Coordinates of all heavy atoms in Angstrom, one line a residue:
L1 N 16.6 -25.3 13.8 CA 16.5 -26.7 13.8 C 17.6 -27.3 13.1 O 17.9 -28.5 13.1 CB 15.2 -27.1 13.2 CG 14.0 -26.7 14.0 CD1 12.7 -27.1 13.1 CD2 13.8 -27.4 15.3
N2 N 18.4 -26.5 12.4 CA 19.7 -27.0 11.6 C 19.1 -27.8 10.5 O 19.7 -28.9 10.3 CB 20.6 -27.7 12.5 CG 22.1 -27.8 11.9 OD1 22.4 -26.9 11.0 ND2 22.7 -28.8 12.2
V3 N 18.1 -27.3 9.8 CA 17.5 -28.1 8.6 C 17.4 -27.0 7.5 O 17.5 -25.8 7.8 CB 16.3 -28.8 8.9 CG1 16.4 -30.0 10.0 CG2 15.2 -27.9 9.5
T4 N 16.9 -27.6 6.4 CA 16.8 -26.6 5.2 C 15.3 -26.0 5.3 O 14.5 -26.7 5.9 CB 16.8 -27.4 3.9 OG1 15.8 -28.4 3.8 CG2 18.2 -28.1 3.7
P5 N 15.1 -24.9 4.7 CA 13.8 -24.2 4.8 C 12.8 -25.1 4.0 O 11.5 -25.1 4.4 CB 14.0 -22.9 3.9 CG 15.3 -22.5 4.3 CD 16.1 -23.9 4.3
A6 N 13.2 -25.9 3.0 CA 12.3 -26.8 2.3 C 11.8 -27.9 3.2 O 10.6 -28.3 3.1 CB 13.0 -27.4 1.1
A7 N 12.6 -28.4 4.1 CA 12.3 -29.4 5.1 C 11.3 -28.8 6.0 O 10.4 -29.6 6.5 CB 13.5 -30.0 5.8
V8 N 11.5 -27.6 6.5 CA 10.5 -26.8 7.3 C 9.2 -26.8 6.8 O 8.1 -27.1 7.3 CB 11.0 -25.6 7.8 CG1 10.0 -24.7 8.5 CG2 12.2 -25.7 8.7
S9 N 9.2 -26.4 5.5 CA 8.0 -26.2 4.7 C 7.3 -27.6 4.6 O 6.0 -27.5 4.7 CB 8.2 -25.6 3.3 OG 8.7 -24.3 3.4
S10 N 8.0 -28.6 4.3 CA 7.3 -29.9 4.2 C 6.7 -30.4 5.4 O 5.6 -30.9 5.5 CB 8.4 -30.9 3.7 OG 7.8 -32.3 3.6
Q11 N 7.4 -30.1 6.6 CA 6.8 -30.6 7.9 C 5.5 -29.7 8.2 O 4.6 -30.3 8.7 CB 7.9 -30.5 8.9 CG 9.0 -31.4 9.0 CD 8.6 -32.8 9.4 OE1 7.6 -32.9 9.9 NE2 9.3 -33.8 9.1
I12 N 5.6 -28.5 8.0 CA 4.4 -27.6 8.3 C 3.2 -28.1 7.4 O 2.0 -28.1 7.9 CB 4.7 -26.2 8.0 CG1 5.8 -25.7 9.1 CG2 3.4 -25.4 8.3 CD1 5.4 -25.9 10.6
H13 N 3.5 -28.3 6.2 CA 2.5 -28.7 5.3 C 1.9 -30.1 5.6 O 0.6 -30.2 5.6 CB 3.1 -28.8 3.7 CG 2.1 -29.2 2.8 ND1 1.0 -28.5 2.3 CD2 2.0 -30.4 2.1 CE1 0.2 -29.2 1.4 NE2 0.8 -30.4 1.2
S14 N 2.6 -31.1 6.1 CA 2.2 -32.3 6.5 C 1.3 -32.1 7.7 O 0.2 -32.8 7.9 CB 3.3 -33.2 6.7 OG 4.1 -32.9 7.8
L15 N 1.7 -31.2 8.6 CA 1.0 -30.9 9.9 C -0.4 -30.2 9.5 O -1.4 -30.7 10.2 CB 1.8 -30.2 10.8 CG 1.3 -29.9 12.3 CD1 0.9 -31.1 13.0 CD2 2.1 -29.0 13.1
E16 N -0.4 -29.3 8.7 CA -1.7 -28.6 8.4 C -2.6 -29.7 7.6 O -3.8 -29.6 7.9 CB -1.4 -27.5 7.5 CG -0.7 -26.3 8.1 CD -0.3 -25.2 7.2 OE1 0.0 -25.4 6.0 OE2 -0.4 -24.0 7.8
E17 N -2.1 -30.6 6.9 CA -3.0 -31.6 6.2 C -3.5 -32.5 7.3 O -4.8 -32.9 7.1 CB -2.2 -32.3 5.1 CG -1.9 -31.6 3.9 CD -1.6 -32.6 2.7 OE1 -1.1 -33.7 3.0 OE2 -1.8 -32.3 1.5
L18 N -2.7 -32.9 8.2 CA -3.1 -33.8 9.3 C -4.2 -33.1 10.1 O -5.3 -33.9 10.4 CB -1.9 -34.2 10.1 CG -2.3 -35.1 11.3 CD1 -2.7 -36.5 10.9 CD2 -1.0 -35.3 12.2
L19 N -4.0 -31.9 10.4 CA -5.0 -31.2 11.4 C -6.3 -30.7 10.5 O -7.3 -30.3 11.1 CB -4.3 -30.1 12.0 CG -3.1 -30.4 13.0 CD1 -2.6 -29.2 13.6 CD2 -3.7 -31.3 14.1
G20 N -6.1 -30.5 9.2 CA -7.1 -30.0 8.5 C -7.4 -28.5 8.5 O -8.5 -28.0 8.4
V21 N -6.4 -27.7 9.0 CA -6.4 -26.3 9.2 C -5.1 -25.7 8.7 O -4.0 -26.3 8.7 CB -6.7 -25.9 10.7 CG1 -8.0 -26.5 11.1 CG2 -5.6 -26.5 11.5
S22 N -5.2 -24.4 8.5 CA -3.9 -23.5 8.2 C -3.4 -23.0 9.4 O -4.1 -22.6 10.3 CB -4.2 -22.4 7.2 OG -4.6 -22.9 6.0
L23 N -2.1 -23.1 9.6 CA -1.4 -22.7 10.9 C -0.8 -21.3 10.7 O -0.6 -20.6 11.7 CB -0.5 -23.7 11.4 CG -1.1 -25.1 11.8 CD1 0.0 -26.1 11.9 CD2 -2.0 -25.1 12.8
F24 N -0.5 -21.0 9.5 CA 0.3 -19.7 9.3 C -0.4 -19.0 8.0 O -0.9 -19.5 7.0 CB 1.8 -20.0 8.9 CG 2.5 -20.6 10.0 CD1 2.8 -21.9 10.1 CD2 3.0 -19.8 11.0 CE1 3.4 -22.5 11.1 CE2 3.8 -20.4 12.2 CZ 3.9 -21.7 12.1
L25 N -0.3 -17.7 8.1 CA -0.7 -16.8 7.1 C 0.7 -16.2 6.4 O 1.6 -15.7 7.2 CB -1.6 -15.6 7.6 CG -3.0 -16.0 8.1 CD1 -3.6 -14.8 8.6 CD2 -3.8 -16.6 6.9
R26 N 0.8 -16.4 5.3 CA 2.1 -16.0 4.6 C 1.9 -14.9 3.6 O 1.0 -14.9 2.7 CB 2.6 -17.3 3.8 CG 2.9 -18.5 4.7 CD 3.0 -19.7 3.8 NE 3.4 -21.0 4.5 CZ 2.4 -21.7 5.1 NH1 1.1 -21.3 4.9 NH2 2.7 -22.8 5.7
S27 N 2.6 -13.8 3.8 CA 2.6 -12.8 2.9 C 4.1 -12.2 2.7 O 4.6 -11.6 3.4 CB 1.8 -11.5 3.6 OG 1.8 -10.4 2.8
G28 N 4.4 -12.8 1.4 CA 5.9 -12.6 1.1 C 6.7 -13.3 2.2 O 6.5 -14.5 2.4
R29 N 7.7 -12.6 2.8 CA 8.4 -13.2 3.8 C 7.8 -13.0 5.2 O 8.4 -13.6 6.2 CB 9.9 -12.6 3.9 CG 10.7 -12.9 2.7 CD 12.1 -12.3 2.7 NE 12.9 -12.7 1.6 CZ 14.3 -12.5 1.5 NH1 14.9 -11.7 2.5 NH2 15.0 -12.7 0.5
K30 N 6.8 -12.3 5.4 CA 6.1 -12.2 6.5 C 5.2 -13.3 6.9 O 4.5 -13.8 6.1 CB 5.3 -10.9 6.4 CG 4.6 -10.4 7.9 CD 3.9 -9.2 7.8 CE 3.3 -8.9 9.2 NZ 2.4 -7.6 9.1
V31 N 5.3 -13.9 8.2 CA 4.5 -15.0 8.6 C 3.9 -14.6 9.8 O 4.5 -14.0 10.8 CB 5.5 -16.2 8.9 CG1 4.7 -17.4 9.4 CG2 6.2 -16.6 7.6
T32 N 2.6 -14.9 9.9 CA 1.8 -14.8 11.2 C 0.9 -16.0 11.4 O 0.7 -16.9 10.6 CB 0.7 -13.5 11.1 OG1 -0.1 -13.8 9.9 CG2 1.7 -12.2 10.8
L33 N 0.7 -16.1 12.7 CA -0.1 -17.3 13.0 C -1.6 -17.1 12.8 O -2.2 -16.0 13.0 CB -0.1 -17.6 14.6 CG 1.3 -18.3 15.0 CD1 1.4 -18.1 16.5 CD2 1.3 -19.7 14.6
T34 N -2.3 -18.2 12.2 CA -3.8 -18.1 12.1 C -4.3 -18.4 13.5 O -3.7 -18.6 14.6 CB -4.3 -19.3 11.2 OG1 -4.0 -20.4 11.9 CG2 -3.6 -19.1 9.9
D35 N -5.8 -18.2 13.6 CA -6.3 -18.4 14.9 C -6.0 -19.9 15.5 O -5.9 -20.1 16.6 CB -7.8 -18.3 14.8 CG -8.1 -16.7 14.8 OD1 -7.3 -15.9 15.1 OD2 -9.3 -16.4 14.3
A36 N -6.1 -20.8 14.4 CA -5.8 -22.2 14.8 C -4.4 -22.3 15.3 O -4.2 -23.1 16.2 CB -6.0 -23.1 13.6

């Protein structure tokens, strides 16, 4: 997206708050999708 990782984290956080669900499981640098 040609943006910073911090900007990406902020957008994902706002989307998860809006939907009321977690979208990713984070384990260190590893990222997987939740069922949602």
